[in-house]
Amino acid sequence: MTPPLAPVGWSRWLVPPAALSVHLSIGQVYAWSVFKPPLESALGLSGTQSALPFQLGIVMLGLSAAFGGTLVERNGPRWAMTVALVCFSSGFLLSALGAATEQFWLIVFGYGFVGGIGLGIGYISPVSTLIKWFPDRPGMATGIAIMGFGGGALIASPWSAQMLESFGSTSDGIAKAFLVHGLVYAVFMLLGVLLIRVPRPDAAPKAKPAPESALITTAQVSAKSAVRTPQFWLLWIVLCMNVTAGIGILEKAAPMITDFFADTDTPVSVSAAAGFVALLSAANMAGRIGWSSTSDVIGRKNTYRLYLGVGALMYLLIAQFGDASKPLFIICALVILSFYGGGFATVPAYLKDLFGTYQVGAIHGRLLTAWSAAGVLGPLIVNRVADSQEEAGKSGPGLYGLSLTIMIGLLVVGFVANELVRPVHPRHHRPADTAASANIPAPANSADADADADANAPASANTAATKPEASPEEPKEAR
């Protein structure tokens, strides 16, 4: 499953389409709501029950990305994309069987558990390879792929709705729709498996001088060592706070804009609220490629200053003046959602700056646990506060004042964490001989393939002349 080295003359611009074929496919998860009403009607489910496949899928996305990241780095992008293809498509096929036999547990297991593993492995599968192909523009490269994940629902939503209309919303019709999804996505993701290539050591261009050069390392840090650094946990806080702020609006966008203007001369209709949600999705996508590309110019730390600092200002404007001006409310929400998407797309390049390219995909997978935490925290804050304020007799913007203030506080916490990010201490760096070969994928059966064992391995013979060998009595970390 090791992907071939790119031949001489191979265009690196063929790699982003390979990544997009996977991310556009697994981005279907954001369109699960299309299946909720038919499933509830056909199988007699409640709204909470029909959400279980999606919820389990998101949980498995975070867990499989965190625990499978090292395997992805060890076995390469073709292996990872193949695993993602098999799991994601099999999840739909199992769901088709569950719908046909009216066994909802099989849909939960198939789409949520099996398909969720495909989501996590597929999400991180191209990250390391893209960064190695585009050392001069890592933010743009990862932004292209991760934009696909945000945009997958724009394709899947109308396509799924059309299939349910053609096949019917009965259990048999849902089964046929699941079956078609599984087969078509398998073919589409196979394009990425066949197209992916890894660069030769001299194939990719040299990285350009970048701002914040003090943060950018030429050394390499393993995933096991990275999670022991304060930089990793500071970035975990940064990502968690940024995602919490964005998902807090995204999850409750339609009722929020309706409540804000319910008592004004220009109330928001149901169709207008749906259009607002579509605008937020577009801002989410645009931010993933736009802001991540901008980070290549102004630096990653400055970009997160923008996300967190300006994001807090946008929330403050909504809290103070949101109900007085509909354009102001919409513009502020669009900016916040563009920062939400940009945060996802910029963080792999930030990790590359701090930890090198050696196991950046595995480190990224571990960092995505911040997404899982934010996915619970953001909606919980907005919904719980809104419910408590309603019980207290408040309405309209009053339902959200406290939660907006909380979001501002969280963004300030993220801003401070970002300011505390410093270069990684040299004690976490790998030996120089391995760092020099970081762009060459290690074979799966090599001694260097074990990330955890290799993270603290002693220097090899060809570096002995320049680095004294550690004595047996020295702690392993010191070697």
Side-chain angles (χ1 to χ4, degrees), residues 295-319:
S295 76
D296 291 330
V297 178
I298 67 174
R300 253 60 75 174
K301 192 169 187 175
N302 286 332
T303 303
Y304 273 93
R305 284 170 175 153
L306 188 69
Y307 295 159
L308 300 160
V310 178
L313 177 61
M314 295 297 103
Y315 265 115
L316 181 61
L317 290 174
I318 291 176

Side-chain angles (χ1 to χ4, degrees), residues 71-406:
L71 290 174
V72 171
E73 290 290 343
R74 181 187 306 171
N75 297 316
R78 176 166 289 179
W79 175 88
M81 288 181 175
T82 302
V83 170
L85 183 160
V86 171
C87 291
F88 190 65
S89 296
S90 296
F92 270 113
L93 299 182
L94 288 170
S95 297
L97 179 61
T101 58
E102 299 188 357
Q103 298 293 317
F104 182 61
W105 70 269
L106 194 53
I107 299 176
V108 175
F109 174 76
Y111 188 92
F113 184 81
V114 179
I117 295 173
L119 290 176
I121 299 299
Y123 190 88
I124 63 174
S125 62
V127 169
S128 179
T129 303
L130 282 167
I131 288 177
K132 290 171 183 175
W133 270 111
F134 292 87
D136 53 333
R137 284 181 277 186
M140 180 213 67
T142 55
I144 290 175
I146 294 175
M147 177 186 68
F149 188 80
L154 295 181
I155 298 172
S157 292
W159 181 44
S160 300
Q162 183 59 49
M163 275 195 286
L164 290 171
E165 184 177 336
S166 300
F167 297 142
S169 297
T170 63
S171 58
D172 287 340
I174 297 170
K176 291 177 182 177
F178 282 151
L179 177 62
V180 172
H181 275 74
L183 297 177
V184 172
Y185 280 134
V187 173
F188 195 60
M189 295 172 75
L190 183 61
L191 296 176
V193 173
L194 298 177
L195 193 60
I196 194 69
R197 297 286 189 278
V198 294
R200 296 177 180 275
D202 58 347
K206 301 297 183 182
K208 295 179 180 178
E212 306 168 353
S213 58
L215 285 179
I216 300 175
T217 183
T218 56
Q220 308 294 328
V221 181
S222 71
K224 184 176 181 180
S225 294
V227 297
R228 299 172 178 172
T229 66
Q231 288 82 359
F232 176 88
W233 293 105
L234 287 170
L235 278 190
W236 194 98
I237 294 172
V238 166
L239 182 63
C240 185
M241 298 301 100
N242 188 63
V243 174
T244 299
I247 209 169
I249 279 188
L250 184 62
E251 193 271 342
K252 206 173 176 64
M256 183 181 289
I257 193 172
T258 302
D259 290 336
F260 257 81
F261 298 97
D263 298 327
T264 67
D265 296 333
T266 56
V268 177
S269 65
V270 174
S271 60
F276 174 63
V277 173
L279 279 177
L280 293 181
S281 297
N284 180 7
M285 280 188 61
R288 291 173 187 246
I289 181 63
W291 292 123
S292 60
S293 297
T294 302
S295 76
D296 291 330
V297 178
I298 67 174
R300 253 60 75 174
K301 192 169 187 175
N302 286 332
T303 303
Y304 273 93
R305 284 170 175 153
L306 188 69
Y307 295 159
L308 300 160
V310 178
L313 177 61
M314 295 297 103
Y315 265 115
L316 181 61
L317 290 174
I318 291 176
Q320 296 297 319
F321 310 108
D323 59 336
S325 172
K326 194 177 295 182
L328 177 66
F329 181 95
I330 294 173
I331 290 171
C332 290
L334 291 176
V335 171
I336 291 171
L337 261 293
S338 75
F339 291 162
Y340 167 80
F344 281 121
T346 309
V347 80
Y350 207 162
L351 292 172
K352 173 259 181 189
D353 290 348
L354 289 168
F355 302 110
T357 60
Y358 170 56
Q359 288 190 331
V360 68
I363 300 169
H364 183 218
R366 286 158 170 79
L367 195 75
L368 288 180
T369 54
W371 183 6
S372 299
V376 174
L377 189 60
L380 180 64
I381 291 172
V382 175
N383 288 294
R384 183 65 61 84
V385 171
D387 290 343
S388 65
Q389 296 299 300
E390 187 175 11
E391 291 173 1
K394 295 185 179 181
S395 62
L399 297 173
Y400 304 98
L402 178 58
S403 59
L404 294 174
T405 303
I406 293 173

Side-chain angles (χ1 to χ4, degrees), residues 19-28 122-126 145-146 148-149 152:
L20 273 174
S21 71
V22 173
H23 272 240
L24 282 171
S25 298
I26 63 177
Q28 183 279 336
Y123 190 88
I124 63 174
S125 62
I146 294 175
F149 188 80

